[in-house]
Amino acid sequence: MNEKHKEYNLTNFSTGILTILSSIIVAILLTISLIGIISRHSLYPTKELILTFVPNDGVNLILVVPLLILSIIFAKRGFLIGYLFWVAGLFFVIYHAIFYVFAFKLSIVFLVYLTLLMASIFLLVGLCSCLNPVYIRKKLENIIPARSIGWLLIIFGSLFFLRTIGVLGEAIIKNTLISVGDYCVLISDFFISIAWLVSGILLIKKQDSGYLLGTSAFIHAHATTIGLLICFILQPILTSTPFAFVDFSTIAIFELIWFVPIFIMIIKKKTKV
């Protein structure tokens, strides 16, 4: 066994299998996202689908694919941050795959993203079950403000969950239609909000698994916000949509408000160690 992976309870074989599966996911995501941008009309037959999914393909290329590649490289070298970002990257693929699966019915896009969804869930479970949560907790408990991050995950997970239930419930009661893009976002938010809630609770209780899942979920939450900002930037470039300056500014301020305090807490904890 490679000395760098002993502490994480990983064998060379398991590391190799996980790396190969992740590389396949990256290759598929890279390919379908490039096709989505270059041959948008062949994948997305309506203007609404183009406006919704082409910028999202750009986010996959700019953020999700590099995030997964870098996380695998750092994890292979035995860095904990690599494993945390690896799990966060898989969260991101699952989040986006749900988005596409519910938008397309029995098409090439549907089959590709259904494959990505199932493969990412399988890989996420496999990676988390292979890692040593006790060792990860020991590495992180003196670095991250566990309770603060846990409560933030619970708060934002609850807000996402309640918003999803509220919007869908209102649409059903009033018998109003929801656009394809909004509907798919709501479904993705519903599932990911549950993941944030569970991860936050585990982290607050300072469970061994909570340090891995909670920290990775927190990274994913920030990556989601950054991905949304990238999407706003790409919309006028890739589509005819004007730049949503107000929305962009609101999300950017929101990201700073809940990221900066946690970053300062981490710096303070590291200086005390």
Side-chain angles (χ1 to χ4, degrees):
M1 185 187 297
N2 191 320
E3 291 293 330
K4 293 180 179 180
H5 303 294
K6 274 186 178 180
E7 298 87 350
Y8 298 104
N9 202 32
L10 286 169
T11 63
N12 289 337
F13 177 76
S14 61
T15 303
I17 292 296
L18 292 170
T19 301
I20 291 171
L21 290 176
S22 293
S23 299
I24 293 172
I25 289 174
V26 168
I28 294 174
L29 185 62
L30 176 64
T31 302
I32 192 66
S33 297
L34 280 172
I35 294 173
I37 292 175
I38 297 172
S39 303
R40 61 188 68 182
H41 294 287
S42 60
L43 285 188
Y44 312 127
T46 67
K47 182 178 180 180
E48 181 185 2
L49 291 176
I50 290 175
L51 294 176
T52 301
F53 291 100
V54 171
N56 204 64
D57 288 332
V59 174
N60 286 337
L61 293 175
I62 294 173
L63 181 62
V64 184
V65 169
L67 177 66
L68 277 172
I69 292 174
L70 290 174
S71 66
I72 295 170
I73 292 173
F74 279 99
K76 288 280 286 182
R77 296 181 179 181
F79 292 105
L80 175 56
I81 193 172
Y83 292 109
L84 297 175
F85 274 81
W86 198 346
V87 173
L90 291 172
F91 270 132
F92 217 138
V93 176
I94 292 170
Y95 178 72
H96 274 194
I98 293 172
F99 188 56
Y100 284 83
V101 165
F102 278 88
F104 298 90
K105 307 296 182 183
L106 298 178
S107 64
I108 295 297
V109 178
F110 170 82
L111 293 175
V112 169
Y113 277 96
L114 180 62
T115 301
L116 282 173
L117 176 61
M118 301 306 294
S120 297
I121 292 174
F122 174 79
L123 184 57
L124 178 64
V125 173
L127 178 59
C128 291
S129 62
C130 286
L131 291 170
N132 182 355
V134 177
Y135 177 75
I136 292 174
R137 173 181 175 165
K138 290 179 180 178
K139 293 277 286 185
L140 289 176
E141 61 185 354
N142 293 322
I143 298 176
I144 66 167
R147 292 191 182 278
S148 297
I149 292 177
W151 277 114
L152 280 173
L153 286 171
I154 289 175
I155 291 169
F156 288 106
S158 299
L159 290 174
F160 271 61
F161 182 83
L162 293 174
R163 174 182 174 273
T164 300
I165 298 300
V167 174
L168 290 176
E170 184 181 10
I172 293 172
I173 293 172
K174 294 183 177 180
N175 196 27
T176 56
L177 292 176
I178 301 176
S179 68
V180 174
D182 290 340
Y183 172 75
C184 297
V185 169
L186 289 171
I187 297 298
S188 294
D189 286 348
F190 173 80
F191 286 105
I192 208 62
S193 65
I194 294 174
W196 288 357
L197 283 168
V198 173
S199 300
I201 292 170
L202 290 173
L203 192 53
I204 284 176
K205 291 185 174 181
K206 296 193 173 182
Q207 298 291 316
D208 294 334
S209 59
Y211 280 85
L212 170 62
L213 294 175
T215 306
S216 297
F218 188 69
I219 293 170
H220 169 255
H222 283 294
T224 300
T225 307
I226 294 170
L228 187 56
L229 293 174
I230 294 173
C231 188
F232 283 132
I233 295 172
L234 291 178
Q235 279 178 341
I237 299 173
L238 298 176
T239 69
S240 57
T241 307
F243 179 61
F245 176 77
V246 175
D247 292 338
F248 179 88
S249 301
T250 303
I251 297 297
I253 293 171
F254 167 78
E255 169 66 10
L256 289 174
I257 288 173
W258 81 304
F259 174 74
V260 172
I262 295 297
F263 180 75
I264 293 172
M265 288 181 191
I266 292 174
I267 295 299
K268 287 183 177 179
K269 286 178 74 73
K270 288 188 71 174
T271 56
K272 291 179 181 179
V273 176

